[in-house]
């Protein structure tokens, strides 16, 4: 582009397209007095004008409105379509017509000049004005192009962004409708990338993402489309897939290029990725459905051990449909009171008195009957519905115990109730507010409530969770560490968290006297808890021998089928309050 604003005296090449010899001579004569070096080319037809325009670096075009083979407006359109950005265009005409001059500017001319006005000063001034307008137009176009480029690109990796990819994916879906060609969508998520940002900072994480983007680009063909959706998520659209075997080859190539160590500064990274893949037309034909299928397949690859790929298939499709159905049913169950709370007593083994109970959720499914938590809680957690269920259980349990206290004249220290907190509930920033509100609304004294947490739920972000647990402790709510001894046990946890009691996992009680070494571990755990001043609750007690062991070891409470399975509120009341 000529910087006309700074160089109005530079030599120029001017092309006159006019079939009138006299008019052409008049223009050349007018330009003779110009001190600026001008090379003049001439053409008498539109066809000849286009030919000379293509063959020469033309700075200024003077186009007559009336030509023997085409009108000037049409010729300007053809010139502009050549997409050369270094030519200023002026239309000249015999007739004074405001509409014509406006049309000329609309189709791409930079100025309009009447042939009767052709004089040295007027023509030179018009050329300069046209060049300057052209310069400004190019400047605006460049800035618009830069803005458009930024809007379509991911600023970190320079790959196309989510917005542009979604448009590309839609275009690919539309194209398939008119051809027999198919394509595959690859959804790529880096494994454990969050640890990089958390431990080494986002600057290092960004550099790593740039390296990943470059490696992914090297693994695809020229016609394929690679984009960064955001974070550590990438997608690839691979065209012209004719067989599923091709998909596996490409997926293995992606995993292979990422597996090579990446050196950033003084740190060497070994990156792996989980890749989910779906083929157009097998289970999805819309952009939204394709993205969803690929995303689901990617999570399947993660569940299968990571650093691998999974192609969306019949089995996964059926599993997904069942999960979608279950999601709707769980939401319906929450809205229509289909969930129940069952209660399992916690007995003091020295006097066989009920000192507490654990609240356990059940689902009164309209067609499948009473379902235990193992049949729906993991799915509810995956669907992010566990918080709503957990809150409902807590509220129901608190109201129930308060009702029994009032009805049977129980003191606050006569009986407590235990309610499980899921990992997602522990991570919920609104947990404290929610528990406080439920306890207040139920009228239950807070020290009658015990919240059970598992060790597996506190190993992630233990400092944040410790803060919340200390807030619960300040509210006089007791805390129990459930499933103690199942693999995540840490003395540090017992110091970090305000734990009041340990629940020995039922697997230890069940295996009592089957393995002497494990029995010694069990005895040591109970003594250790007692040494720390913690209450001990033994779960899964089913036999006299197991009960005698718990009693001999000084367990404070026992819980299990020896006394009762979990039962509904009415049965619990009849069995333990009305006898």
């Amino acid at each position: 582009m000529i910087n006309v604003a700074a160089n109005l005296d530079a030599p120029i090449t001017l092309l006159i397209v006019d079939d009138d010899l006299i008019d052409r001579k008049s223009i050349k004569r007018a330009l003779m007095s110009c001190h600026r070096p001008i090379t003049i080319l001439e053409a008498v037809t539109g066809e000849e004008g286009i030919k000379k325009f293509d063959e020469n670096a033309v700075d200024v075009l003077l186009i007559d409105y009336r030509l023997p083979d085409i009108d000037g407006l049409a010729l300007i359109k053809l010139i502009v379509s050549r997409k050369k950005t270094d030519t200023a265009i002026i239309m000249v005409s015999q007739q004074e017509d405001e509409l014509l001059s406006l049309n000329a500017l609309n189709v791409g001319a930079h100025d309009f000049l009447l042939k009767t006005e052709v004089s040295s000063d007027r023509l030179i001034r018009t050329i300069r004005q046209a060049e300057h307008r052209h310069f400004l137009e190019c400047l605006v176009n460049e800035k618009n192009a830069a803005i458009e480029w930024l809007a379509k690109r991911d600023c970190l990796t320079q790959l196309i962004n989510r917005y542009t990819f979604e448009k590309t994916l839609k275009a690919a879906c539309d194209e398939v409708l008119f051809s027999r060609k198919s394509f595959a969508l690859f959804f790529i998520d880096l494994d454990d990338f969050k640890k990089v940002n958390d431990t080494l900072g986002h600057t290092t994480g960004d550099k790593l993402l740039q390296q990943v983007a470059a490696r992914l680009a090297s693994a695809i063909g020229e016609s394929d489309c690679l984009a960064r959706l955001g974070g550590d998520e990438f997608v690839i659209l691979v065209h012209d897939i004719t067989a599923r075997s091709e998909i596996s080859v490409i997926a293995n190539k992606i995993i292979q290029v990422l597996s090579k160590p990446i050196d950033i500064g003084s740190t060497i990274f070994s990156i792996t990725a989980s890749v989910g893949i779906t083929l157009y037309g097998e289970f999805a034909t819309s952009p939204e459905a394709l993205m969803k299928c690929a995303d689901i397949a990617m999570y399947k690859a993660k569940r299968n051990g990571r650093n691998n790929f999974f192609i969306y298939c019949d089995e996964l499709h059926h599993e997904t449909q069942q999960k979608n159905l279950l999601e709707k049913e769980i939401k319906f169950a929450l809205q229509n009171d289909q969930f129940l709370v069952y209660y399992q007593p916690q007995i003091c083994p020295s006097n066989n008195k009920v000192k507490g109970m654990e609240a356990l959720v059940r689902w009164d499914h309209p067609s499948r009957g009473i379902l235990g938590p193992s049949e729906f809680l993991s799915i509810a957690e995956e669907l992010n519905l566990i918080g709503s269920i957990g809150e409902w259980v807590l509220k129901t349990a608190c109201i129930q115990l308060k009702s029994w206290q009032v009805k049977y004249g129980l003191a606050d220290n006569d009986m407590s109730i235990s309610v499980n907190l899921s990992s997602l509930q522990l991570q919920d920033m609104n947990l404290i507010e929610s528990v406080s509100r439920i306890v207040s609304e139920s009228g239950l004294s807070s020290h009658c409530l015990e919240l059970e947490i598992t060790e597996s739920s506190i190993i992630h972000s233990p400092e944040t969770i410790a803060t919340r647990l200390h807030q619960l402790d300040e509210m006089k709510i007791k805390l129990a560490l459930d499933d103690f001894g199942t693999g995540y046990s840490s003395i540090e946890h017992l110091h970090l968290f305000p734990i009041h009691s340990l629940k020995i996992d039922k697997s230890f009680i069940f295996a009592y006297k089957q393995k002497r070494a494990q029995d010694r571990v069990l005895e040591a755990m109970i003594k250790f808890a007692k040494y720390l001043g913690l209450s001990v609750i033994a779960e899964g007690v089913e036999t006299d021998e197991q009960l005698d062991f718990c009693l001999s070891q000084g367990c404070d409470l026992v819980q299990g089928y020896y006394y009762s399975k979990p039962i509904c509120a009415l049965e619990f009341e009849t069995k333990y309050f009305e006898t």
Side-chain angles (χ1 to χ4, degrees):
M1 182 183 71
I2 298 174
N3 190 337
V4 180
N7 194 13
L8 291 174
D9 295 324
I12 61 172
T13 297
L14 182 143
L15 172 60
I16 305 170
V17 185
D18 193 333
D19 63 330
D20 191 310
L21 177 61
I22 295 175
D23 289 341
R24 294 201 306 275
K25 287 183 177 181
S26 176
I27 291 171
K28 289 191 289 184
R29 192 181 311 113
L31 291 173
M32 289 177 63
S33 61
C34 180
H35 68 278
R36 187 176 183 183
I38 300 177
T39 300
I40 299 176
L41 305 175
E42 298 179 56
V44 298
T45 65
E47 183 179 359
E48 185 184 2
I50 290 174
K51 187 173 184 296
K52 290 196 174 182
F53 177 80
D54 289 340
E55 292 173 349
N56 298 274
V58 177
D59 301 300
V60 180
L61 255 170
L62 286 171
I63 299 176
D64 185 18
Y65 172 59
R66 297 190 180 280
L67 295 169
D69 57 343
I70 191 172
D71 70 67
L73 295 177
L75 179 58
I76 291 174
K77 287 182 182 180
L78 288 173
I79 294 294
V80 171
S81 70
R82 292 305 201 263
K83 298 190 183 301
K84 290 189 176 181
T85 59
D86 53 355
T87 305
I89 303 173
I90 302 169
M91 169 162 277
V92 291
S93 175
Q94 289 284 7
Q95 61 189 82
E96 186 173 356
D97 186 333
E98 185 175 342
L99 181 60
L100 176 61
S101 64
L102 183 61
N103 287 338
L105 295 174
N106 285 338
V107 298
H110 300 100
D111 212 333
F112 183 88
L113 180 66
L114 287 172
K115 288 187 175 183
T116 55
E117 296 177 338
V118 172
S119 65
S120 178
D121 292 341
R122 181 75 175 88
L123 184 56
I124 292 170
R125 186 167 65 251
T126 299
I127 290 173
R128 286 190 172 184
Q129 288 174 344
E131 286 183 300
H132 189 64
R133 285 174 186 164
H134 174 58
F135 164 75
L136 295 176
E137 179 186 276
C138 290
L139 198 62
V140 170
N141 289 341
E142 284 182 359
K143 291 186 178 296
N144 287 341
I147 292 172
E148 183 179 0
W149 191 91
L150 289 173
K152 293 180 177 180
R153 294 280 171 170
D154 170 54
C155 60
L156 178 65
T157 62
Q158 309 305 309
L159 300 176
I160 64 172
N161 58 19
R162 176 186 289 271
Y163 169 76
T164 310
F165 182 78
E166 286 175 350
K167 293 181 68 175
T168 303
L169 182 58
K170 184 180 184 306
C173 291
D174 293 341
E175 183 181 348
V176 169
L177 295 175
F178 303 99
S179 69
R180 295 188 177 183
K181 296 180 180 179
S182 187
F183 63 83
L185 181 63
F186 292 69
F187 195 114
I188 303 161
D189 184 271
L190 303 185
D191 297 327
D192 297 321
F193 178 76
K194 185 176 182 296
K195 290 182 181 178
V196 177
N197 283 336
D198 290 345
T199 57
L200 298 175
H202 287 272
T203 300
T204 300
D206 288 347
K207 290 179 180 178
L208 184 58
L209 288 173
Q210 290 172 334
Q211 292 284 336
V212 168
R215 291 197 175 186
L216 290 175
S218 70
I220 63 175
E222 292 183 2
S223 63
D224 301 329
C225 177
L226 168 64
R228 180 185 177 219
L229 297 183
D232 60 339
E233 293 181 339
F234 297 82
V235 283
I236 300 174
L237 193 155
V238 179
H239 293 279
D240 300 336
I241 294 292
T242 58
R244 289 177 70 89
S245 58
E246 297 178 50
I247 295 176
S248 299
V249 171
I250 297 168
N252 281 318
K253 187 175 181 182
I254 290 170
I255 291 172
Q256 184 180 1
V257 297
L258 292 179
S259 65
K260 297 175 183 177
I262 298 176
D263 189 357
I264 297 178
S266 59
T267 306
I268 297 177
F269 295 91
S270 295
I271 286 293
T272 62
S274 298
V275 184
I277 310 159
T278 188
L279 188 63
Y280 177 91
E282 287 196 345
F283 299 96
T285 56
S286 69
E288 297 79 11
L290 285 162
M291 289 289 285
K292 187 174 182 179
C293 288
D295 186 44
I296 292 170
M298 181 273 292
Y299 277 106
K300 184 70 171 179
K302 283 193 179 294
R303 291 195 298 272
N304 287 352
R306 307 188 175 202
N307 193 29
N308 58 39
F309 66 91
F310 195 89
I311 304 173
Y312 196 87
C313 60
D314 285 318
E315 181 182 352
L316 183 55
H317 187 61
H318 177 72
E319 179 184 320
T320 302
Q321 288 181 316
Q322 290 298 109
K323 190 179 296 182
N324 290 340
L325 176 61
L326 194 58
E327 179 179 8
K328 292 177 183 177
E329 290 182 332
I330 291 174
K331 289 179 178 178
F332 184 84
L334 279 167
Q335 295 168 359
N336 294 274
D337 298 323
Q338 291 181 0
F339 286 112
L340 306 170
V341 175
Y342 275 32
Y343 301 90
Q344 187 172 37
Q346 295 173 335
I347 310 293
C348 177
S350 62
N351 58 21
N352 285 330
K353 287 186 177 181
V354 180
K355 297 299 293 181
M357 70 198 85
E358 181 177 0
L360 299 161
V361 68
R362 297 292 186 268
W363 181 4
D364 187 7
H365 194 281
S367 61
R368 298 168 60 190
I370 303 297
L371 302 180
S374 62
E375 298 187 69
F376 63 90
L377 278 190
S378 60
I379 296 295
E381 187 161 7
E382 190 176 328
L383 297 171
N384 205 27
L385 296 171
I386 193 69
S388 299
I389 296 174
E391 186 172 324
W392 179 86
V393 171
L394 178 61
K395 180 179 179 180
T396 302
C398 289
I399 291 173
Q400 183 64 74
L401 179 55
K402 182 62 181 178
S403 173
W404 282 332
Q405 287 177 339
V406 172
K407 186 174 181 178
Y408 296 102
L410 301 175
D412 286 345
N413 61 351
D414 285 339
M415 188 175 293
S416 64
I417 191 159
S418 298
V419 181
N420 293 281
L421 281 185
S422 71
S423 174
L424 289 180
Q425 285 177 283
L426 279 172
Q427 295 169 27
D428 186 354
M429 60 188 300
N430 298 315
L431 172 66
I432 304 303
E433 179 187 349
S434 174
V435 172
S436 177
R437 172 177 46 78
I438 288 172
V439 171
S440 176
E441 290 176 355
S442 70
L444 186 71
S445 296
S446 58
H447 59 261
C448 295
L449 174 63
E450 182 175 65
L451 297 176
E452 296 186 12
I453 59 175
T454 61
E455 292 183 289
S456 60
S457 68
I458 59 179
I459 58 172
H460 302 294
S461 304
E463 291 79 11
T464 301
I465 291 174
T467 301
R468 295 197 179 113
L469 295 184
H470 279 289
Q471 289 175 306
L472 292 170
D473 182 51
E474 291 169 2
M475 294 164 58
K476 308 302 181 185
I477 293 172
K478 295 190 289 290
L479 298 167
L481 192 58
D482 197 8
D483 299 339
F484 186 72
T486 55
Y488 294 98
S489 301
S490 170
I491 296 176
E492 181 186 5
H493 291 159
L494 299 179
H495 288 289
L496 183 61
F497 305 117
I499 302 299
H500 301 86
S501 58
L502 293 183
K503 296 193 75 174
I504 303 298
D505 186 66
K506 59 185 178 183
S507 62
F508 282 90
I509 303 298
F510 179 78
Y512 173 64
K513 280 203 169 178
Q514 295 181 24
K515 294 181 180 180
R516 185 57 193 157
Q518 187 162 313
D519 289 346
R520 287 197 294 268
V521 172
L522 175 57
E523 292 171 7
M525 284 194 298
I526 295 173
K527 289 178 181 177
F528 177 65
K530 286 293 187 178
Y531 177 77
L532 294 176
L534 303 176
S535 297
V536 177
I537 305 170
E539 291 186 291
V541 175
E542 298 183 0
T543 66
D544 287 316
E545 192 174 43
Q546 291 170 352
L547 179 62
D548 290 341
F549 169 78
C550 293
L551 185 60
S552 67
Q553 294 297 314
C555 292
D556 298 278
L557 297 173
V558 295
Q559 178 181 343
Y561 278 30
Y562 181 87
Y563 288 102
S564 174
K565 65 180 181 180
I567 53 179
C568 68
L570 180 60
E571 188 177 350
F572 192 96
E573 182 174 348
T574 302
K575 186 173 182 178
Y576 295 105
F577 296 131
E578 295 182 353
T579 55

